[in-house]
Short mmCIF file of all heavy atoms in Angstrom, two decimals:
data_model
loop_
_atom_site.label_atom_id
_atom_site.label_comp_id
_atom_site.label_asym_id
_atom_site.label_seq_id
_atom_site.Cartn_x
_atom_site.Cartn_y
_atom_site.Cartn_z
N ALA Y 357 60.30 170.60 48.42
CA ALA Y 357 59.11 171.39 48.70
C ALA Y 357 59.12 171.80 50.16
O ALA Y 357 59.56 171.04 51.03
CB ALA Y 357 57.85 170.58 48.39
N LEU Y 358 58.62 172.99 50.43
CA LEU Y 358 58.56 173.52 51.78
C LEU Y 358 57.10 173.74 52.16
O LEU Y 358 56.38 174.47 51.48
CB LEU Y 358 59.32 174.85 51.86
CG LEU Y 358 59.36 175.56 53.21
CD1 LEU Y 358 60.05 174.70 54.27
CD2 LEU Y 358 60.04 176.92 53.08
N ASP Y 359 56.66 173.08 53.23
CA ASP Y 359 55.28 173.20 53.72
C ASP Y 359 55.29 174.15 54.91
O ASP Y 359 55.71 173.79 56.00
CB ASP Y 359 54.75 171.82 54.11
CG ASP Y 359 53.30 171.86 54.58
OD1 ASP Y 359 52.59 172.84 54.24
OD2 ASP Y 359 52.89 170.92 55.28
N LEU Y 360 54.82 175.37 54.68
CA LEU Y 360 54.80 176.40 55.73
C LEU Y 360 53.61 176.19 56.66
O LEU Y 360 52.48 176.03 56.19
CB LEU Y 360 54.71 177.79 55.10
CG LEU Y 360 55.83 178.17 54.12
CD1 LEU Y 360 55.51 179.52 53.47
CD2 LEU Y 360 57.17 178.22 54.83
N GLY Y 361 53.86 176.20 57.98
CA GLY Y 361 52.78 175.96 58.92
C GLY Y 361 52.22 174.57 58.74
O GLY Y 361 51.01 174.38 58.61
N THR Y 362 53.10 173.58 58.74
CA THR Y 362 52.70 172.21 58.40
C THR Y 362 51.71 171.61 59.38
O THR Y 362 51.01 170.66 59.06
CB THR Y 362 53.95 171.31 58.29
OG1 THR Y 362 53.58 170.06 57.69
CG2 THR Y 362 54.58 171.05 59.65
N GLY Y 363 51.64 172.16 60.61
CA GLY Y 363 50.72 171.60 61.60
C GLY Y 363 51.05 170.15 61.88
O GLY Y 363 52.20 169.81 62.13
N SER Y 364 50.07 169.30 61.81
CA SER Y 364 50.31 167.87 62.06
C SER Y 364 50.77 167.13 60.82
O SER Y 364 50.76 165.90 60.78
CB SER Y 364 49.05 167.21 62.64
OG SER Y 364 48.00 167.23 61.70
N GLY Y 365 51.16 167.89 59.78
CA GLY Y 365 51.81 167.28 58.63
C GLY Y 365 50.92 166.74 57.53
O GLY Y 365 51.42 166.13 56.59
N ILE Y 366 49.62 166.98 57.61
CA ILE Y 366 48.70 166.37 56.65
C ILE Y 366 49.06 166.70 55.21
O ILE Y 366 49.22 165.81 54.37
CB ILE Y 366 47.26 166.83 56.94
CG1 ILE Y 366 46.76 166.17 58.23
CG2 ILE Y 366 46.33 166.46 55.78
CD1 ILE Y 366 45.42 166.69 58.69
N TRP Y 367 49.24 167.98 54.91
CA TRP Y 367 49.45 168.38 53.51
C TRP Y 367 50.88 168.12 53.07
O TRP Y 367 51.12 167.78 51.90
CB TRP Y 367 49.03 169.84 53.33
CG TRP Y 367 47.65 170.05 53.84
CD1 TRP Y 367 47.26 170.80 54.92
CD2 TRP Y 367 46.44 169.44 53.34
NE1 TRP Y 367 45.90 170.71 55.11
CE2 TRP Y 367 45.37 169.88 54.16
CE3 TRP Y 367 46.17 168.58 52.28
CZ2 TRP Y 367 44.06 169.48 53.96
CZ3 TRP Y 367 44.85 168.18 52.07
CH2 TRP Y 367 43.82 168.62 52.90
N GLY Y 368 51.83 168.27 53.98
CA GLY Y 368 53.21 167.93 53.65
C GLY Y 368 53.35 166.45 53.31
O GLY Y 368 54.07 166.09 52.37
N ILE Y 369 52.68 165.61 54.06
CA ILE Y 369 52.72 164.17 53.80
C ILE Y 369 52.10 163.85 52.44
O ILE Y 369 52.60 163.02 51.69
CB ILE Y 369 52.04 163.39 54.93
CG1 ILE Y 369 52.91 163.43 56.18
CG2 ILE Y 369 51.75 161.95 54.52
CD1 ILE Y 369 52.24 162.91 57.42
N LYS Y 370 51.02 164.53 52.11
CA LYS Y 370 50.40 164.31 50.81
C LYS Y 370 51.36 164.69 49.68
O LYS Y 370 51.42 164.00 48.64
CB LYS Y 370 49.08 165.07 50.70
CG LYS Y 370 47.97 164.48 51.57
CD LYS Y 370 46.64 165.09 51.27
CE LYS Y 370 45.55 164.48 52.17
NZ LYS Y 370 45.37 163.05 51.96
N LEU Y 371 52.11 165.77 49.87
CA LEU Y 371 53.11 166.13 48.87
C LEU Y 371 54.19 165.06 48.76
O LEU Y 371 54.61 164.69 47.66
CB LEU Y 371 53.75 167.48 49.22
CG LEU Y 371 52.91 168.74 49.08
CD1 LEU Y 371 53.74 169.96 49.47
CD2 LEU Y 371 52.37 168.88 47.66
N ALA Y 372 54.64 164.56 49.91
CA ALA Y 372 55.67 163.51 49.92
C ALA Y 372 55.17 162.26 49.22
O ALA Y 372 55.91 161.60 48.48
CB ALA Y 372 56.08 163.20 51.36
N GLU Y 373 53.92 161.92 49.44
CA GLU Y 373 53.34 160.75 48.79
C GLU Y 373 53.28 160.92 47.28
O GLU Y 373 53.34 159.94 46.52
CB GLU Y 373 51.95 160.47 49.35
CG GLU Y 373 51.96 159.95 50.78
CD GLU Y 373 50.56 159.80 51.35
OE1 GLU Y 373 49.64 160.54 50.92
OE2 GLU Y 373 50.38 158.95 52.24
N ARG Y 374 53.19 162.17 46.83
CA ARG Y 374 53.13 162.44 45.39
C ARG Y 374 54.51 162.40 44.75
O ARG Y 374 54.61 162.34 43.52
CB ARG Y 374 52.50 163.81 45.14
CG ARG Y 374 51.07 163.94 45.62
CD ARG Y 374 50.51 165.32 45.27
NE ARG Y 374 50.36 165.43 43.82
CZ ARG Y 374 49.25 165.08 43.16
NH1 ARG Y 374 48.20 164.62 43.81
NH2 ARG Y 374 49.19 165.20 41.85
N GLY Y 375 55.57 162.47 45.58
CA GLY Y 375 56.91 162.40 45.03
C GLY Y 375 57.76 163.64 45.26
O GLY Y 375 58.81 163.79 44.63
N TRP Y 376 57.33 164.52 46.16
CA TRP Y 376 58.12 165.69 46.52
C TRP Y 376 59.00 165.36 47.73
O TRP Y 376 58.63 164.54 48.57
CB TRP Y 376 57.21 166.87 46.84
CG TRP Y 376 56.47 167.39 45.65
CD1 TRP Y 376 55.27 166.93 45.17
CD2 TRP Y 376 56.87 168.45 44.79
NE1 TRP Y 376 54.90 167.64 44.06
CE2 TRP Y 376 55.87 168.58 43.79
CE3 TRP Y 376 57.97 169.29 44.74
CZ2 TRP Y 376 55.94 169.53 42.77
CZ3 TRP Y 376 58.05 170.24 43.73
CH2 TRP Y 376 57.04 170.35 42.76
N GLN Y 377 60.14 166.04 47.82
CA GLN Y 377 61.03 165.90 48.97
C GLN Y 377 60.72 167.04 49.94
O GLN Y 377 61.15 168.17 49.73
CB GLN Y 377 62.50 165.94 48.50
CG GLN Y 377 62.83 164.76 47.60
CD GLN Y 377 63.81 165.11 46.48
OE1 GLN Y 377 63.81 166.21 45.96
NE2 GLN Y 377 64.65 164.16 46.12
N VAL Y 378 59.96 166.73 50.97
CA VAL Y 378 59.28 167.75 51.76
C VAL Y 378 59.98 168.08 53.07
O VAL Y 378 60.41 167.19 53.80
CB VAL Y 378 57.83 167.31 52.06
CG1 VAL Y 378 57.09 168.40 52.84
CG2 VAL Y 378 57.08 167.00 50.77
N THR Y 379 60.06 169.38 53.34
CA THR Y 379 60.40 169.90 54.66
C THR Y 379 59.18 170.63 55.18
O THR Y 379 58.65 171.53 54.51
CB THR Y 379 61.59 170.88 54.59
OG1 THR Y 379 62.75 170.19 54.14
CG2 THR Y 379 61.87 171.49 55.95
N GLY Y 380 58.69 170.23 56.34
CA GLY Y 380 57.55 170.89 56.96
C GLY Y 380 57.98 171.67 58.18
O GLY Y 380 58.76 171.17 58.99
N ILE Y 381 57.50 172.89 58.32
CA ILE Y 381 57.88 173.71 59.48
C ILE Y 381 56.64 174.22 60.20
O ILE Y 381 55.57 174.42 59.61
CB ILE Y 381 58.76 174.90 59.08
CG1 ILE Y 381 57.95 175.93 58.28
CG2 ILE Y 381 59.97 174.45 58.28
CD1 ILE Y 381 58.50 177.33 58.36
N ASP Y 382 56.80 174.43 61.49
CA ASP Y 382 55.74 175.02 62.30
C ASP Y 382 56.37 175.54 63.59
O ASP Y 382 57.54 175.23 63.89
CB ASP Y 382 54.66 173.98 62.62
CG ASP Y 382 53.28 174.61 62.79
OD1 ASP Y 382 53.10 175.40 63.74
OD2 ASP Y 382 52.39 174.32 61.97
N ILE Y 383 55.59 176.32 64.36
CA ILE Y 383 56.08 176.83 65.65
C ILE Y 383 55.38 176.17 66.82
O ILE Y 383 55.71 176.45 67.97
CB ILE Y 383 55.92 178.36 65.74
CG1 ILE Y 383 54.45 178.76 65.59
CG2 ILE Y 383 56.80 179.06 64.71
CD1 ILE Y 383 54.18 180.23 65.86
N VAL Y 384 54.41 175.29 66.54
CA VAL Y 384 53.64 174.65 67.60
C VAL Y 384 54.20 173.25 67.84
O VAL Y 384 54.07 172.36 66.98
CB VAL Y 384 52.14 174.57 67.23
CG1 VAL Y 384 51.35 173.91 68.36
CG2 VAL Y 384 51.59 175.97 66.94
N GLU Y 385 54.80 173.05 68.99
CA GLU Y 385 55.46 171.77 69.28
C GLU Y 385 54.50 170.59 69.27
O GLU Y 385 54.84 169.51 68.80
CB GLU Y 385 56.19 171.84 70.61
CG GLU Y 385 57.50 172.60 70.56
CD GLU Y 385 58.54 171.91 69.67
OE1 GLU Y 385 58.38 170.71 69.37
OE2 GLU Y 385 59.51 172.57 69.28
N LYS Y 386 53.31 170.79 69.80
CA LYS Y 386 52.34 169.69 69.81
C LYS Y 386 52.03 169.25 68.39
O LYS Y 386 51.99 168.04 68.09
CB LYS Y 386 51.05 170.12 70.50
CG LYS Y 386 49.98 169.04 70.51
CD LYS Y 386 48.72 169.48 71.24
CE LYS Y 386 47.67 168.37 71.24
NZ LYS Y 386 46.42 168.77 71.96
N ALA Y 387 51.85 170.19 67.50
CA ALA Y 387 51.57 169.86 66.11
C ALA Y 387 52.75 169.17 65.46
O ALA Y 387 52.59 168.22 64.69
CB ALA Y 387 51.20 171.13 65.34
N LEU Y 388 53.96 169.62 65.77
CA LEU Y 388 55.15 169.01 65.19
C LEU Y 388 55.33 167.56 65.64
O LEU Y 388 55.72 166.70 64.85
CB LEU Y 388 56.39 169.83 65.56
CG LEU Y 388 56.49 171.20 64.90
CD1 LEU Y 388 57.62 172.01 65.52
CD2 LEU Y 388 56.69 171.07 63.40
N ARG Y 389 55.03 167.30 66.90
CA ARG Y 389 55.10 165.91 67.38
C ARG Y 389 54.11 165.04 66.62
O ARG Y 389 54.42 163.91 66.23
CB ARG Y 389 54.82 165.85 68.90
CG ARG Y 389 55.93 166.44 69.75
CD ARG Y 389 55.75 166.06 71.21
NE ARG Y 389 54.52 166.60 71.78
CZ ARG Y 389 54.42 167.79 72.37
NH1 ARG Y 389 55.49 168.59 72.44
NH2 ARG Y 389 53.28 168.20 72.88
N GLN Y 390 52.92 165.57 66.38
CA GLN Y 390 51.92 164.84 65.63
C GLN Y 390 52.38 164.61 64.19
O GLN Y 390 52.16 163.54 63.61
CB GLN Y 390 50.59 165.61 65.64
CG GLN Y 390 49.94 165.68 67.00
CD GLN Y 390 48.71 166.59 67.01
OE1 GLN Y 390 48.50 167.38 66.09
NE2 GLN Y 390 47.91 166.49 68.06
N ALA Y 391 53.04 165.62 63.61
CA ALA Y 391 53.52 165.50 62.24
C ALA Y 391 54.57 164.41 62.12
O ALA Y 391 54.56 163.61 61.17
CB ALA Y 391 54.09 166.84 61.77
N ARG Y 392 55.49 164.38 63.07
CA ARG Y 392 56.55 163.35 63.02
C ARG Y 392 55.95 161.95 63.16
O ARG Y 392 56.34 161.02 62.46
CB ARG Y 392 57.57 163.62 64.12
CG ARG Y 392 58.37 164.91 63.91
CD ARG Y 392 59.45 165.09 64.96
NE ARG Y 392 60.14 166.36 64.77
CZ ARG Y 392 59.95 167.45 65.52
NH1 ARG Y 392 59.08 167.41 66.52
NH2 ARG Y 392 60.60 168.57 65.27
N GLU Y 393 54.99 161.83 64.07
CA GLU Y 393 54.35 160.53 64.28
C GLU Y 393 53.54 160.12 63.05
O GLU Y 393 53.58 158.96 62.60
CB GLU Y 393 53.44 160.58 65.50
CG GLU Y 393 52.72 159.27 65.83
CD GLU Y 393 53.68 158.14 66.12
OE1 GLU Y 393 54.82 158.40 66.60
OE2 GLU Y 393 53.32 156.97 65.87
N ARG Y 394 52.83 161.07 62.46
CA ARG Y 394 52.04 160.79 61.27
C ARG Y 394 52.93 160.36 60.11
O ARG Y 394 52.60 159.44 59.36
CB ARG Y 394 51.22 162.03 60.89
CG ARG Y 394 50.20 161.78 59.79
CD ARG Y 394 49.58 163.10 59.34
NE ARG Y 394 48.85 163.76 60.41
CZ ARG Y 394 47.55 163.56 60.66
NH1 ARG Y 394 46.87 162.72 59.90
NH2 ARG Y 394 46.94 164.20 61.64
N ALA Y 395 54.07 161.03 59.96
CA ALA Y 395 55.00 160.68 58.88
C ALA Y 395 55.53 159.26 59.08
O ALA Y 395 55.66 158.48 58.12
CB ALA Y 395 56.14 161.68 58.82
N ARG Y 396 55.85 158.91 60.34
CA ARG Y 396 56.33 157.55 60.63
C ARG Y 396 55.26 156.52 60.30
O ARG Y 396 55.53 155.49 59.68
CB ARG Y 396 56.75 157.43 62.10
CG ARG Y 396 58.11 158.03 62.42
CD ARG Y 396 58.60 157.59 63.78
NE ARG Y 396 57.76 158.10 64.85
CZ ARG Y 396 57.96 159.26 65.47
NH1 ARG Y 396 58.97 160.04 65.12
NH2 ARG Y 396 57.16 159.66 66.44
N GLU Y 397 54.03 156.81 60.70
CA GLU Y 397 52.94 155.86 60.47
C GLU Y 397 52.65 155.70 58.97
O GLU Y 397 52.30 154.61 58.52
CB GLU Y 397 51.68 156.34 61.20
CG GLU Y 397 51.78 156.26 62.72
CD GLU Y 397 50.56 156.83 63.40
OE1 GLU Y 397 49.71 157.43 62.69
OE2 GLU Y 397 50.44 156.69 64.63
#
Side-chain angles (χ1 to χ4, degrees):
L358 180 62
D359 182 20
L360 302 174
T362 192
S364 65
I366 289 173
W367 307 113
I369 288 170
K370 289 190 180 298
L371 289 181
E373 290 175 332
R374 298 182 68 90
W376 293 86
Q377 296 144 327
V378 182
T379 297
I381 70 155
D382 210 296
I383 59 172
V384 181
E385 283 295 342
K386 178 179 180 180
L388 291 170
R389 289 193 297 271
Q390 292 173 345
R392 294 184 183 104
E393 180 60 28
R394 189 188 297 270
R396 282 194 295 270
E397 291 176 351

